[in-house]
Amino acid sequence: MMDDFKNQKCLHKRYAFQIVLQMREMLRSQPSLVDINVPDGSHFTVCGDVHGQFYDLINIFELNGLPSEENPYLFNGDFVDRGSFSVEVILTLFALKCMCPSAIYLARGNHESRSMNKIYGFEGEVRSKLSEKFVELFAEVFCCLPLAHVINQKVFVVHGGLFSVDGVKLSDIKAVDRFCEPPEEGLMCELLWSDPQPFPGRGPSKRGVGLSFGADVTRNFLQDNNLDLIVRSHEVKDEGYEIEHDGKLITIFSAPNYCDQVIES
């Protein structure tokens, strides 16, 4: 399938249906916050936004190996939109998850939503490569994606960031009813949309949704939940990553050929 996609061939709709429907069943049974255990001596790869860059995704696998139980990945949201190969990216990630669920974990990003897909290209691409029925099906499956992951009870991985209120516990995130389009405010919205800022406290978001949060907010959240580190995505980084907040927060971006360098990612 991946070789066909490299040669810009399409997958028959029947197989695409099988993959997406199986994915829906698998994701429905997962909690909103997924715990991941990585054994001592093993490694684990977290990837940031891919944004429809299929050839970047292939490049990641060529450099780092295909996902397997011995080589697990977490893709941290924003699989689709902007790039021209969002259908290929999402079907590849879903098919890998169906083949070996413990080899690959998928989190929801702010672009796994109906309103963003309408504006930024995924909806139109799905219509042209698959059908109108798939537009609805993908929207439904995106609502089943978990909102965050915790690796070895120490590393919190989320697409966007932290919250407008103090004292949020991991149990509060687990309790979020995620089976919906992202709301304009509240925990789910902030998990998908927020960004770090270089100064303390909280501020308005440059995006108009979510908020900006400082190193003190990061430190307090980590202390409240006995965590060591936050890994998030959501912003373009020229080097592919950036370490902030006294080393307690890492942003990862995984679409090196991302064409339009804009704030909203």
Side-chain angles (χ1 to χ4, degrees), residues 53-94:
Q53 306 277 1
F54 180 70
Y55 295 95
D56 285 346
L57 179 66
I58 293 299
N59 193 42
I60 289 168
F61 292 151
E62 284 174 355
L63 290 170
N64 199 54
L66 282 169
S68 67
E69 286 191 356
E70 296 73 39
N71 188 34
Y73 284 78
L74 165 54
F75 282 86
N76 199 26
D78 283 13
F79 320 121
V80 301
D81 283 337
R82 300 191 182 281
S84 303
F85 303 100
S86 293
V87 166
E88 288 80 359
V89 166
I90 199 69
L91 288 175
T92 298
L93 293 176
F94 281 5

Side-chain angles (χ1 to χ4, degrees), residues 164-176:
S164 53
V165 293
D166 288 323
V168 174
K169 292 293 210 299
L170 295 179
S171 55
D172 299 321
I173 299 168
K174 263 197 173 109
V176 172

Side-chain angles (χ1 to χ4, degrees), residues 6 30 41 46 57 79 105-106 126 128 169 187 191 193 201-202 221 236 239 257 259:
K6 271 190 234 178
Q30 295 201 317
V46 180
L57 179 66
F79 320 121
Y105 297 86
L106 304 172
V126 170
S128 67
K169 292 293 210 299
L187 295 190
L191 285 163
W193 280 94
R202 295 177 172 91
F221 175 77
V236 181
E239 300 294 311
N257 293 311
C259 41

Side-chain angles (χ1 to χ4, degrees), residues 4 25 206:
D4 279 352
E25 291 313 302
K206 62 198 174 192

Side-chain angles (χ1 to χ4, degrees), residues 20 32 39 92 99 101 124 145 147 198-199 204 214 224 227-228 244 247 254:
V20 180
S32 292
T92 298
M99 275 174 62
L145 285 162
L147 303 177
F199 37 87
D224 286 347
L227 296 163
D228 293 340
E244 299 168 85
S254 300

